Amino acid sequence: MQVAFVDLNRQYQSIQSEIKEAMNQVFESSTFILGKPVEDFEKSFAEFCEASYACGVANGTDAIHLLLKAYGISNNDEVIIPAHTFIATALGVAYSGAKPVLVDVDARSFLIDADKIEAAITKNTRAIIGVHLYGQTCDMNKLREIADRHKLLLFEDAAQAHGAYYQNKKAGSLADGATFSFYPGKNLGAYGDGGAIVTSNKDIYDKIKALRNYGSPIKYEHRILGYNSRLDTLQAAFLSVKLRHLDKFTLRRQQVAQTYLERLKELKSIQLPGIREIKDHVFHLFVVQLENRDRLQKFLAENDIETAIHYPKPIHQHEAFKYYDFFKESFPIAENICKRILSLPLFPEITEDEIDYICSKLIEFDHH
Ligand SMILES: *Cc1c(COP(=O)(O)O)cnc(C)c1O
């Protein structure tokens, strides 16, 4: 048996007729930039997130950049992010002109360690970005308390957490603004790049709408230096189709995770992820930890099971950020988990036989 880390074709096959219909409609109307498909998707995505507004943008990295920009964050400002996240969180901050300031993460949940945030706050700090990594929301009550105490803005990087919950509230509705990515492999993925900013602040929403469209609230009127960063119309049409199926896909992800958790709980060499509540987690990734990570990855590859590492290097060790002097800093937990983590295959269309095969190979590895 061969198991892919993720097989996007299976999902496409299951919704192919709806996707083709949506594509036809866009071609028939021949509106390819903004227009009704983008507006319709934005409306349903805002509703899905239980927030007032969603603004489609070109990708999740731009979403972070434009959200910070709309709140006036720029040069000499600092924005707190976790040391363990996808590079784009830091890039979005850097594009705004602000400096990303890193905070170590929790070794079990992989999420920003709220107890370490206050030590990183300076007179230049303007915001905290909580990253709902792997599909699990951060401890937003704690983050809100710290943000309020220091008069900081609070944002969510929800690129991996479409539909996740925190205490009965949806990701996207938990802060002053949230950013999403619709990169094909994300829980809600387009057939190309896409992203969105979700907020209930009308003023910020209006600013972002202008920022994404050459800084132009009215055609040929430019009051600010804007960008060309719109959500593509075809992608918006596809996303509306996929959003209708998302709850079902999420439920299946949770079932798969539940099976992994049950079948692997006795393993001695493999540590399972720290999960607050399965029903709140959307399992973008299922990440285990172990001492002999590379050996396990090789063993699984020899058995035709594809795995991945999210991510092999913490933010501060990337060459791209050397001008921040990050190399001198140390985030021991982030550094350590990078060497220990392994992401197992988990996608809505994975079969019971495939999960069974993966679990049996993990058990075999553990017994050696
Ligand atoms: C994917 C991702 C992004 C960036 O999204 P793109 O659409 O690829 O630009 C940002 N943050 C996190 C945590 C991500 O996983």
Side-chain angles (χ1 to χ4, degrees):
M1 186 179 293
Q2 238 181 346
V3 191
F5 182 67
V6 55
D7 181 349
L8 296 178
N9 188 259
R10 289 185 197 173
Q11 186 163 99
Y12 169 64
Q13 296 302 337
S14 77
I15 55 173
Q16 190 183 36
S17 59
E18 290 171 83
I19 293 293
K20 285 185 172 160
E21 173 57 28
M23 185 178 74
N24 271 339
Q25 278 179 19
V26 172
F27 277 90
E28 287 303 328
S29 79
S30 287
T31 295
F32 296 109
I33 301 295
L34 298 177
K36 192 164 182 307
V38 175
E39 285 165 23
D40 287 350
F41 172 69
E42 288 173 338
K43 196 161 170 291
S44 27
F45 193 64
E47 247 165 59
F48 174 82
C49 293
E50 298 168 1
S52 308
Y53 310 101
C55 187
V57 294
N59 54 66
T61 312
D62 280 8
I64 298 167
H65 173 205
L66 297 191
L67 176 62
L68 298 179
K69 195 96 190 162
Y71 271 102
I73 290 171
S74 69
N75 301 349
N76 305 321
D77 291 335
E78 293 177 2
V79 175
I80 289 175
I81 63 168
H84 180 70
T85 176
F86 181 52
I87 192 79
T89 313
L91 291 177
V93 174
Y95 296 164
S96 77
K99 180 188 175 187
V101 170
L102 307 182
V103 167
D104 214 348
V105 294
D106 177 81
R108 287 301 309 283
S109 72
F110 309 105
L111 302 172
I112 192 164
D113 185 343
D115 295 335
K116 291 181 180 154
I117 291 177
E118 285 194 292
I121 295 174
T122 73
K123 62 180 193 330
N124 296 324
T125 310
R126 292 284 315 281
I128 302 168
I129 303 180
V131 180
H132 304 321
L133 202 70
Y134 305 154
Q136 176 159 247
T137 52
C138 302
D139 189 342
M140 295 307 286
N141 282 351
K142 269 197 184 163
L143 296 192
R144 173 51 78 192
E145 197 185 293
I146 296 165
D148 285 352
R149 194 171 330 130
H150 296 270
K151 299 197 166 50
L152 307 177
L153 292 158
L154 178 60
F155 301 124
E156 305 166 65
D157 179 345
Q160 304 188 359
H162 319 70
Y165 279 93
Y166 179 78
Q167 297 180 352
N168 298 316
K169 290 203 299 197
K170 276 261 175 81
S173 73
L174 303 169
D176 300 306
T179 61
F180 289 86
S181 165
F182 307 121
Y183 181 87
K186 299 285 158 86
N187 287 33
L188 179 60
Y191 294 109
D193 276 309
I197 296 155
V198 171
T199 181
S200 292
N201 182 325
K202 172 79 164 67
D203 191 38
I204 291 300
Y205 167 68
D206 288 338
K207 280 189 183 145
I208 293 164
K209 269 184 83 162
L211 278 172
R212 74 165 174 186
N213 196 29
Y214 320 113
S216 158
I218 303 160
K219 206 164 190 183
Y220 305 129
E221 265 220 37
H222 305 278
R223 294 170 197 157
I224 46 169
L225 271 187
Y227 303 86
N228 177 347
S229 180
R230 297 165 298 230
L231 175 61
D232 184 83
T233 304
L234 261 178
Q235 299 305 333
F238 299 149
L239 286 165
S240 284
V241 169
K242 291 184 84 171
L243 184 57
R244 295 200 289 268
H245 296 276
L246 184 57
D247 286 340
K248 180 182 69 193
F249 294 150
T250 299
L251 211 57
R252 176 65 186 149
R253 284 178 184 273
Q254 290 166 339
Q255 281 171 357
V256 176
Q258 179 109 44
T259 306
Y260 275 143
L261 291 168
E262 269 163 27
R263 296 234 10 225
L264 306 176
K265 67 171 185 265
E266 310 288 343
L267 302 197
K268 295 201 166 45
S269 62
I270 295 169
Q271 188 183 20
L272 296 172
I275 288 155
R276 234 185 295 119
E277 293 214 52
I278 292 183
K279 68 171 176 46
D280 291 352
H281 196 313
V282 294
F283 295 97
H284 174 57
L285 295 169
F286 191 91
V287 178
V288 299
Q289 297 184 57
L290 73 165
E291 214 52 60
N292 299 316
R293 188 264 314 275
D294 294 340
R295 231 182 69 215
L296 175 59
Q297 188 170 38
K298 187 162 167 283
F299 172 78
L300 292 175
E302 284 162 3
N303 286 284
D304 288 324
I305 297 167
E306 195 183 1
T307 58
I309 298 166
H310 301 90
Y311 301 88
K313 236 190 216 191
I315 299 297
H316 62 292
Q317 291 177 347
H318 285 280
E319 187 81 24
F321 291 119
K322 61 174 185 278
Y323 56 96
Y324 292 128
D325 281 346
F326 277 171
F327 283 108
K328 293 181 193 151
E329 297 184 45
S330 143
F331 303 95
I333 312 246
E335 285 161 28
N336 193 244
I337 59 182
C338 285
K339 297 182 203 130
R340 292 169 49 86
I341 46 178
L342 189 67
S343 309
L344 303 181
L346 193 167
F347 52 99
E349 298 74 23
I350 195 167
T351 66
E352 290 302 314
D353 283 351
E354 287 171 325
I355 302 163
D356 200 52
Y357 176 65
I358 297 165
C359 289
S360 71
K361 286 297 160 191
L362 288 167
I363 292 164
E364 188 183 322
F365 178 86
D366 188 61
H367 289 173
H368 277 99

Coordinates of all heavy atoms in Angstrom, one line a residue, residues 74-142:
S74 N 3.8 50.0 11.4 CA 4.8 50.3 10.4 C 6.2 50.3 11.1 O 6.4 49.7 12.1 CB 4.5 51.6 9.7 OG 4.7 52.7 10.5
N75 N 7.1 51.0 10.4 CA 8.5 51.0 10.9 C 8.6 51.4 12.3 O 7.8 52.2 12.8 CB 9.3 52.1 10.1 CG 9.3 51.8 8.6 OD1 8.9 50.7 8.2 ND2 9.7 52.7 7.8
N76 N 9.6 50.8 13.0 CA 9.9 51.0 14.4 C 8.8 50.3 15.4 O 9.0 50.4 16.6 CB 9.9 52.5 14.8 CG 11.0 53.2 13.9 OD1 12.0 52.6 13.7 ND2 10.7 54.4 13.5
D77 N 7.8 49.8 14.8 CA 6.9 49.0 15.6 C 7.4 47.6 15.8 O 8.2 47.1 15.0 CB 5.5 49.0 15.0 CG 4.8 50.3 15.0 OD1 5.2 51.2 15.9 OD2 3.9 50.6 14.2
E78 N 6.9 46.9 16.8 CA 7.2 45.5 17.0 C 5.9 44.7 17.1 O 4.9 45.2 17.7 CB 8.1 45.3 18.3 CG 9.4 45.9 18.2 CD 10.3 45.8 19.5 OE1 9.8 45.2 20.5 OE2 11.4 46.3 19.5
V79 N 6.0 43.5 16.6 CA 4.8 42.6 16.6 C 5.2 41.3 17.1 O 6.2 40.7 16.6 CB 4.1 42.5 15.2 CG1 3.0 41.5 15.3 CG2 3.6 43.8 14.7
I80 N 4.6 40.8 18.2 CA 5.0 39.5 18.8 C 4.3 38.3 18.1 O 3.1 38.3 17.8 CB 4.6 39.6 20.3 CG1 5.5 40.5 21.0 CG2 4.6 38.1 20.9 CD1 5.2 40.8 22.4
I81 N 5.2 37.4 17.7 CA 4.7 36.1 17.1 C 5.4 34.9 17.7 O 6.4 35.1 18.4 CB 5.0 36.1 15.5 CG1 6.5 36.2 15.2 CG2 4.3 37.3 14.8 CD1 6.8 35.9 13.8
P82 N 4.9 33.7 17.5 CA 5.6 32.6 18.1 C 6.8 32.2 17.3 O 6.9 32.5 16.1 CB 4.5 31.4 17.9 CG 3.6 31.9 16.8 CD 3.6 33.4 16.9
A83 N 7.8 31.6 17.9 CA 9.1 31.3 17.3 C 8.9 30.0 16.4 O 9.7 29.8 15.5 CB 10.2 31.0 18.3
H84 N 7.8 29.3 16.7 CA 7.5 28.1 15.9 C 6.2 28.3 15.1 O 5.1 28.3 15.6 CB 7.4 26.9 16.8 CG 7.1 25.6 16.1 ND1 8.0 25.0 15.3 CD2 6.0 24.8 16.0 CE1 7.5 23.9 14.8 NE2 6.2 23.8 15.2
T85 N 6.4 28.6 13.8 CA 5.2 28.9 12.9 C 5.7 28.8 11.5 O 7.0 28.6 11.3 CB 4.6 30.2 13.2 OG1 3.5 30.4 12.2 CG2 5.5 31.4 13.0
F86 N 4.8 28.9 10.5 CA 5.3 28.9 9.1 C 5.9 30.3 8.9 O 5.5 31.3 9.5 CB 4.1 28.7 8.2 CG 4.5 28.7 6.7 CD1 5.5 27.9 6.2 CD2 3.8 29.5 5.8 CE1 5.9 28.0 4.9 CE2 4.2 29.6 4.5 CZ 5.2 28.8 4.0
I87 N 6.9 30.4 8.1 CA 7.7 31.6 7.8 C 6.8 32.8 7.5 O 7.2 33.9 7.8 CB 8.8 31.3 6.7 CG1 9.8 32.4 6.6 CG2 8.1 31.1 5.4 CD1 10.9 32.4 7.7
A88 N 5.7 32.5 6.8 CA 4.8 33.6 6.3 C 4.3 34.5 7.4 O 4.1 35.7 7.2 CB 3.6 33.0 5.6
T89 N 4.2 34.0 8.7 CA 3.7 34.9 9.8 C 4.7 36.0 10.0 O 4.4 37.2 10.1 CB 3.6 34.1 11.1 OG1 2.9 32.8 10.8 CG2 2.9 34.9 12.2
A90 N 6.0 35.6 10.0 CA 7.1 36.6 10.1 C 7.2 37.5 8.9 O 7.5 38.7 9.0 CB 8.4 35.9 10.4
L91 N 7.0 36.9 7.7 CA 7.2 37.7 6.5 C 6.1 38.8 6.4 O 6.4 40.0 6.1 CB 7.0 36.8 5.2 CG 8.1 35.8 5.0 CD1 7.8 35.0 3.7 CD2 9.5 36.6 4.7
G92 N 4.9 38.5 6.8 CA 3.8 39.4 6.8 C 4.1 40.6 7.7 O 3.8 41.8 7.3
V93 N 4.7 40.3 8.9 CA 5.0 41.4 9.8 C 6.2 42.2 9.2 O 6.1 43.4 9.2 CB 5.5 40.8 11.1 CG1 6.0 41.9 12.0 CG2 4.3 40.0 11.8
A94 N 7.2 41.5 8.6 CA 8.3 42.3 8.1 C 7.9 43.2 6.9 O 8.4 44.3 6.8 CB 9.4 41.3 7.6
Y95 N 6.9 42.8 6.1 CA 6.5 43.6 5.0 C 5.9 44.9 5.5 O 5.9 45.9 4.8 CB 5.4 42.9 4.1 CG 5.8 41.6 3.4 CD1 4.9 40.7 2.9 CD2 7.2 41.3 3.2 CE1 5.3 39.6 2.3 CE2 7.6 40.2 2.6 CZ 6.6 39.3 2.1 OH 7.0 38.2 1.4
S96 N 5.2 44.9 6.6 CA 4.6 46.1 7.2 C 5.7 47.1 7.7 O 5.3 48.2 7.9 CB 3.7 45.7 8.4 OG 4.5 45.4 9.5
G97 N 6.9 46.6 7.8 CA 8.0 47.5 8.3 C 8.3 47.2 9.7 O 9.3 47.6 10.2
A98 N 7.3 46.6 10.4 CA 7.5 46.3 11.8 C 8.5 45.1 12.0 O 8.8 44.3 11.1 CB 6.2 45.9 12.5
K99 N 9.1 45.0 13.2 CA 10.0 43.9 13.5 C 9.2 42.7 14.2 O 8.5 43.0 15.2 CB 11.1 44.4 14.5 CG 12.1 43.3 14.8 CD 13.0 43.7 15.9 CE 13.9 42.5 16.3 NZ 14.7 42.7 17.5
P100 N 9.3 41.5 13.6 CA 8.7 40.4 14.3 C 9.6 40.1 15.6 O 10.8 39.9 15.5 CB 8.8 39.3 13.3 CG 9.6 39.7 12.2 CD 10.0 41.2 12.4
V101 N 8.9 40.0 16.7 CA 9.6 39.7 18.0 C 9.1 38.3 18.4 O 7.9 38.1 18.5 CB 9.3 40.7 19.1 CG1 9.8 40.3 20.4 CG2 10.0 42.0 18.7
L102 N 10.0 37.4 18.6 CA 9.6 36.0 18.8 C 9.4 35.6 20.3 O 10.1 36.2 21.1 CB 10.7 35.1 18.2 CG 11.1 35.4 16.7 CD1 12.1 34.3 16.2 CD2 9.8 35.3 15.8
V103 N 8.5 34.7 20.5 CA 8.3 34.2 21.8 C 8.2 32.7 21.7 O 7.6 32.1 20.7 CB 6.9 34.7 22.4 CG1 6.5 34.0 23.6 CG2 7.1 36.2 22.7
D104 N 8.8 32.0 22.6 CA 8.8 30.5 22.6 C 7.4 29.9 22.7 O 6.5 30.6 23.1 CB 9.8 30.0 23.6 CG 10.5 28.7 23.1 OD1 10.2 28.1 22.1 OD2 11.5 28.3 23.8
V105 N 7.3 28.6 22.3 CA 6.0 27.9 22.3 C 6.0 26.9 23.4 O 7.0 26.6 24.0 CB 5.8 27.3 20.9 CG1 5.7 28.4 19.9 CG2 6.9 26.3 20.6
D106 N 4.8 26.3 23.6 CA 4.6 25.3 24.5 C 4.9 23.9 23.8 O 4.6 23.7 22.7 CB 3.1 25.2 24.9 CG 2.8 24.1 25.9 OD1 3.1 24.3 27.1 OD2 2.3 23.0 25.4
A107 N 5.6 23.1 24.6 CA 6.2 21.9 24.0 C 5.2 20.8 23.6 O 5.4 19.9 22.8 CB 7.2 21.2 25.0
R108 N 4.0 20.9 24.2 CA 2.9 19.9 23.9 C 1.9 20.4 22.9 O 1.6 19.7 21.9 CB 2.2 19.5 25.2 CG 2.9 18.6 26.1 CD 3.4 17.2 25.5 NE 2.3 16.5 24.8 CZ 1.4 15.8 25.4 NH1 1.4 15.7 26.8 NH2 0.5 15.1 24.7
S109 N 1.5 21.6 23.0 CA 0.4 22.2 22.1 C 1.1 22.8 20.9 O 0.4 23.1 19.9 CB -0.4 23.2 22.9 OG 0.3 24.4 23.1
F110 N 2.3 23.1 20.9 CA 3.1 23.8 19.9 C 2.6 25.3 19.7 O 3.1 26.0 18.8 CB 2.9 23.1 18.5 CG 3.2 21.6 18.5 CD1 2.2 20.7 18.5 CD2 4.5 21.2 18.6 CE1 2.4 19.3 18.5 CE2 4.8 19.8 18.6 CZ 3.7 18.9 18.6
L111 N 1.8 25.8 20.6 CA 1.2 27.1 20.4 C 2.1 28.1 21.3 O 2.7 27.7 22.2 CB -0.2 27.2 20.9 CG -1.1 26.2 20.1 CD1 -2.5 26.1 20.7 CD2 -1.2 26.6 18.6
I112 N 1.9 29.4 21.0 CA 2.7 30.4 21.7 C 2.5 30.3 23.2 O 1.3 30.0 23.6 CB 2.3 31.8 21.2 CG1 3.3 32.9 21.7 CG2 0.9 32.2 21.6 CD1 3.2 34.2 21.0
D113 N 3.5 30.4 23.9 CA 3.5 30.2 25.4 C 3.1 31.6 26.0 O 4.0 32.5 26.1 CB 4.8 29.7 25.9 CG 4.8 29.4 27.4 OD1 3.9 29.9 28.1 OD2 5.7 28.7 27.9
A114 N 1.9 31.7 26.4 CA 1.4 33.0 26.9 C 2.2 33.6 28.1 O 2.4 34.8 28.2 CB -0.1 32.9 27.2
D115 N 2.7 32.6 28.9 CA 3.4 33.1 30.0 C 4.8 33.7 29.7 O 5.4 34.3 30.6 CB 3.7 31.9 31.0 CG 2.4 31.3 31.6 OD1 1.4 32.1 31.6 OD2 2.3 30.1 31.9
K116 N 5.2 33.6 28.5 CA 6.5 34.2 28.1 C 6.3 35.5 27.2 O 7.3 36.1 26.8 CB 7.3 33.2 27.3 CG 7.8 32.0 28.1 CD 8.6 31.0 27.4 CE 9.0 29.9 28.3 NZ 9.3 28.6 27.6
I117 N 5.1 35.9 27.0 CA 4.9 37.1 26.2 C 5.3 38.4 26.8 O 6.0 39.2 26.2 CB 3.4 37.1 25.7 CG1 3.1 36.0 24.8 CG2 3.1 38.5 25.1 CD1 1.6 35.9 24.3
E118 N 4.9 38.5 28.1 CA 5.2 39.8 28.7 C 6.7 40.2 28.7 O 7.0 41.4 28.6 CB 4.6 39.9 30.1 CG 3.0 40.0 30.0 CD 2.3 40.4 31.2 OE1 2.3 39.6 32.1 OE2 1.8 41.5 31.3
A119 N 7.5 39.2 28.9 CA 9.0 39.5 28.9 C 9.4 40.1 27.5 O 10.5 40.7 27.4 CB 9.7 38.2 29.2
A120 N 8.6 39.8 26.5 CA 9.1 40.3 25.1 C 8.5 41.7 24.8 O 8.8 42.2 23.7 CB 8.6 39.2 24.1
I121 N 7.6 42.2 25.6 CA 6.9 43.5 25.3 C 7.9 44.6 25.6 O 8.5 44.7 26.7 CB 5.6 43.6 26.1 CG1 4.6 42.5 25.7 CG2 5.0 45.0 26.0 CD1 3.3 42.5 26.5
T122 N 8.0 45.6 24.7 CA 8.8 46.8 24.9 C 7.9 48.0 24.6 O 6.7 47.8 24.3 CB 10.0 46.8 23.9 OG1 9.5 47.2 22.6 CG2 10.8 45.5 23.8
K123 N 8.5 49.2 24.7 CA 7.7 50.4 24.4 C 7.3 50.5 22.9 O 6.4 51.2 22.6 CB 8.5 51.6 24.8 CG 9.8 51.9 24.1 CD 10.4 53.2 24.5 CE 11.5 53.7 23.7 NZ 12.3 52.7 22.9
N124 N 7.9 49.7 22.1 CA 7.6 49.7 20.6 C 6.5 48.6 20.2 O 6.1 48.6 19.1 CB 8.8 49.5 19.8 CG 9.8 50.6 20.0 OD1 9.4 51.8 20.1 ND2 11.1 50.3 20.0
T125 N 6.2 47.7 21.2 CA 5.3 46.7 20.8 C 3.9 47.2 20.5 O 3.4 48.1 21.2 CB 5.2 45.7 22.0 OG1 6.5 45.3 22.4 CG2 4.4 44.4 21.5
R126 N 3.3 46.8 19.4 CA 2.0 47.3 19.0 C 1.0 46.1 19.0 O -0.2 46.4 19.2 CB 2.0 47.9 17.6 CG 2.8 49.2 17.5 CD 2.0 50.4 18.0 NE 0.6 50.4 17.6 CZ 0.2 50.8 16.4 NH1 1.0 51.3 15.5 NH2 -1.1 50.8 16.2
A127 N 1.4 44.9 18.7 CA 0.4 43.8 18.6 C 1.0 42.5 18.9 O 2.2 42.3 18.9 CB -0.1 43.8 17.1
I128 N 0.1 41.6 19.1 CA 0.4 40.1 19.3 C -0.3 39.4 18.2 O -1.5 39.6 18.0 CB 0.0 39.6 20.7 CG1 0.6 40.4 21.8 CG2 0.3 38.1 20.8 CD1 0.0 40.1 23.2
I129 N 0.4 38.5 17.5 CA -0.3 37.6 16.6 C -0.3 36.2 17.2 O 0.7 35.6 17.4 CB 0.3 37.5 15.2 CG1 0.4 38.9 14.6 CG2 -0.5 36.6 14.3 CD1 1.0 39.0 13.2
G130 N -1.5 35.7 17.5 CA -1.6 34.3 18.0 C -1.8 33.4 16.7 O -2.6 33.7 15.9
V131 N -0.9 32.4 16.5 CA -1.0 31.5 15.4 C -1.7 30.3 15.8 O -1.2 29.6 16.7 CB 0.4 31.2 14.8 CG1 0.2 30.3 13.6 CG2 1.1 32.5 14.4
H132 N -2.9 30.0 15.2 CA -3.6 28.7 15.6 C -3.0 27.5 14.9 O -3.5 27.0 13.9 CB -5.1 28.9 15.2 CG -5.8 30.1 15.8 ND1 -5.5 30.5 17.1 CD2 -6.7 30.9 15.3 CE1 -6.3 31.5 17.3 NE2 -7.0 31.8 16.3
L133 N -1.8 27.2 15.3 CA -1.0 26.2 14.5 C -1.6 24.8 14.5 O -2.0 24.3 15.5 CB 0.5 26.2 15.1 CG 1.5 25.7 14.1 CD1 1.8 26.7 13.0 CD2 2.8 25.4 14.9
Y134 N -1.5 24.2 13.3 CA -1.9 22.8 13.1 C -3.4 22.7 13.2 O -4.0 21.6 13.1 CB -1.2 21.8 14.0 CG 0.3 21.9 14.0 CD1 1.0 21.4 15.1 CD2 1.0 22.3 12.9 CE1 2.4 21.4 15.1 CE2 2.4 22.3 12.9 CZ 3.1 21.9 14.0 OH 4.4 21.9 14.0
G135 N -4.2 23.8 13.5 CA -5.6 23.7 13.5 C -6.2 23.9 14.9 O -7.4 23.7 15.1
Q136 N -5.3 24.2 15.9 CA -5.8 24.4 17.2 C -5.7 25.9 17.7 O -4.6 26.4 17.5 CB -5.0 23.5 18.2 CG -5.4 23.7 19.7 CD -5.0 22.5 20.5 OE1 -5.8 21.8 21.0 NE2 -3.7 22.2 20.7
T137 N -6.7 26.4 18.2 CA -6.7 27.8 18.6 C -5.8 28.0 19.8 O -5.7 27.2 20.7 CB -8.1 28.4 18.9 OG1 -8.7 27.5 19.9 CG2 -9.0 28.4 17.7
C138 N -5.2 29.2 19.9 CA -4.3 29.6 21.0 C -5.2 29.9 22.2 O -6.4 30.0 22.1 CB -3.6 30.9 20.7 SG -2.6 30.9 19.3
D139 N -4.6 30.1 23.3 CA -5.3 30.5 24.5 C -5.7 31.9 24.5 O -5.0 32.8 25.0 CB -4.5 30.2 25.8 CG -5.3 30.3 27.1 OD1 -6.4 31.0 27.0 OD2 -4.9 29.8 28.1
M140 N -6.8 32.2 23.8 CA -7.2 33.6 23.4 C -7.5 34.4 24.7 O -7.3 35.7 24.7 CB -8.3 33.7 22.4 CG -7.9 33.1 21.0 SD -6.3 33.8 20.3 CE -6.9 35.4 19.8
N141 N -8.1 33.8 25.7 CA -8.4 34.6 26.9 C -7.1 35.2 27.5 O -7.1 36.4 27.9 CB -9.1 33.7 28.0 CG -10.6 33.5 27.6 OD1 -11.1 34.2 26.7 ND2 -11.2 32.6 28.4
K142 N -6.1 34.3 27.6 CA -4.8 34.8 28.2 C -4.2 35.9 27.3 O -3.7 36.9 27.8 CB -3.8 33.6 28.3 CG -3.9 33.0 29.7 CD -2.7 32.1 29.8 CE -2.7 31.4 31.2 NZ -1.7 30.3 31.2

